[in-house]
Each structure stands twice: as structure tokens, then as C-alpha cells.
Amino acid sequence: MAELKLYSLPPLPYAAGALAPHISEAQLTLHHTKHHQAYVNGANALLEKMAKARKENADFDVKAALKELSFHAGGYLLHALFWENMAPAGKGGGGVPKGELAKAIEANFGSFERFKKEFTATATGVEGSGWAALCYCGRTDRLLLVQIEKHNVNVIPAFRVLMVLDVWEHAYYLDYKNDRGKFVDAFWSIVNWEAVAHRYAEAVKGR
Ligand code: MN
């Protein structure tokens, strides 16, 4: 039987201190090497547990395992996307979207300012731990905002996720303590619009 792959922690696409002062080196290092790594480990532990049971033809609690796998794999994937949709301020990060993405934002939200306001409300309004996500629905050719609870609740299966913002407290407490709003404001200075536009183009192509 072919060897199946496990998850592995992707390297950050920039130096850990490159997003400062918006996200400090200490905060980003902790987030990447401890929290993101924990989801990699959690997902792999589940994959290995299921593989072992299958090999021994033994039973495992399918419902519990799949629920836990969804949480960890979701955490793994969302963090990988999160690192990619940021870039150092002024060096690919911040500013405004361009091209087709800019047009789509205007068509769907009325203006970039209005989009920013709604995305901010999406992020600040997440109850407890979760994410704000900008998504694309191929069925309607629309951009839609989503609040993802934890890493996996409220996910609409076919939506392509274009941009995410982690609003778990572990994403900002070293820099902003409990002030999530301040962190969300800072995020706009480090959004990598080119990366988001690329994902949008791929999503439209694949609808
Ligand atoms: Mn996180």
C-alpha cells in the first residue's frame, strides 16, 4: 500500500518579525510554532489513530474521531491560508485591492470602505474563538462574508475561502491583550491583496 502523507507545518512566507508592529515577532512566533503546530500534531495523531485501527481491523469511535479531525485539519488549513494572505506593511501588505478583485468587492459590497466595515464587524463579532473569512460562491458568483466558529463550525462546504483573519485570542493577546478591535484595525495594514486577488481569480476560474 502506498504511504499516505501527513500534515506538516508550512514555513511562514516572511520573517517572523516582518509584520511588526502590527503583529510582533514574539506573537507571530508563538502563534506559528505553538498553536499552528498543535493543529498539525492533532490532525496527524487522528490520522495515525485511524490508520492503526484500520490496519488492525479494530473499531474506533468514528463520530468522535471525525469531529476532532475536522477541528484540527480546519485549524491547520486556516492558519496556512492566514499566513499567506498577509505581507509586511508597504512591502505587499496593506493598501487597497486592485483589478478584478476590486471590481468584485465594489459590485458585491458597494465600495471597498463598506467591505472593510462589514469585514471588521464580522471579525469583531465572532463569539469566542473563530475567524472572519471572505469567501466566493461559484453558484452565484458572489463574494460572501462568513464567521467561522472555532475552526470548523459555520463553514459552507463549497465556498472557496479567499481571505481569513484569525480572531482567536491566541492570535493577538501578546500585542493587544483583550482588544480584538485594535488587532482587526492593524490587520488592514498587512493584508496581501495580491494573494487574495490570486485566490479570487482561481476561484472564478474553477466555478
Ligand atoms: Mn490561530
Side-chain angles (χ1 to χ4, degrees):
M1 221 163 79
E3 191 69 27
L4 296 171
K5 280 189 193 172
L6 290 172
Y7 291 105
S8 60
L9 186 70
L12 293 172
Y14 30 73
L19 302 182
H22 308 290
I23 300 178
S24 69
E25 181 169 359
Q27 177 71 77
L28 192 58
T29 300
L30 183 77
H31 197 174
H32 179 239
T33 64
K34 300 296 177 191
H35 294 284
H36 195 182
Q37 182 71 56
Y39 301 120
V40 170
N41 297 347
N44 286 342
L46 264 297
L47 292 177
E48 283 174 331
K49 181 180 159 181
M50 292 190 291
K52 186 170 180 283
R54 286 163 185 162
K55 200 172 161 190
E56 294 166 359
N57 200 20
D59 289 334
F60 64 91
D61 185 340
V62 171
K63 187 179 170 187
L66 297 188
K67 189 174 177 192
E68 212 181 321
L69 180 64
S70 157
F71 175 81
H72 288 291
Y76 162 78
L77 289 164
L78 285 165
H79 284 92
L81 179 52
F82 184 42
W83 312 139
E84 285 169 18
N85 73 211
M86 294 187 289
K91 294 176 195 160
V96 295
K98 295 189 185 79
E100 292 304 310
L101 176 63
K103 281 187 214 162
I105 286 175
E106 205 181 308
N108 281 271
F109 296 94
S111 67
F112 176 63
E113 285 311 310
R114 173 75 197 194
F115 160 75
K116 240 175 108 168
K117 194 177 153 190
E118 285 192 31
F119 188 91
T120 297
T122 302
T124 54
V126 170
E127 286 177 3
S129 300
W131 299 74
L134 172 66
C135 299
Y136 174 74
C137 172
R139 296 285 178 129
T140 57
D141 196 26
R142 278 175 185 267
L143 293 175
L144 294 164
L145 293 171
V146 169
Q147 277 184 333
I148 302 170
E149 290 175 34
K150 294 186 269 190
H151 300 310
N152 54 348
V153 184
N154 287 347
V155 173
I156 300 172
F159 282 11
R160 291 288 299 272
V161 182
L162 306 179
M163 173 175 112
V164 292
L165 171 57
D166 189 344
V167 291
W168 283 57
E169 241 177 37
H170 73 217
Y172 59 86
Y173 61 86
L174 286 187
D175 291 341
Y176 301 100
K177 299 200 168 63
N178 61 333
D179 194 343
R180 183 189 289 178
K182 216 168 155 191
F183 172 57
V184 175
D185 283 346
F187 174 67
W188 298 110
S189 299
I190 49 174
V191 175
N192 183 341
W193 289 113
E194 208 179 305
V196 181
H198 178 72
R199 287 186 69 83
Y200 173 65
E202 292 294 308
V204 171
K205 218 190 296 170
R207 55 183 293 232

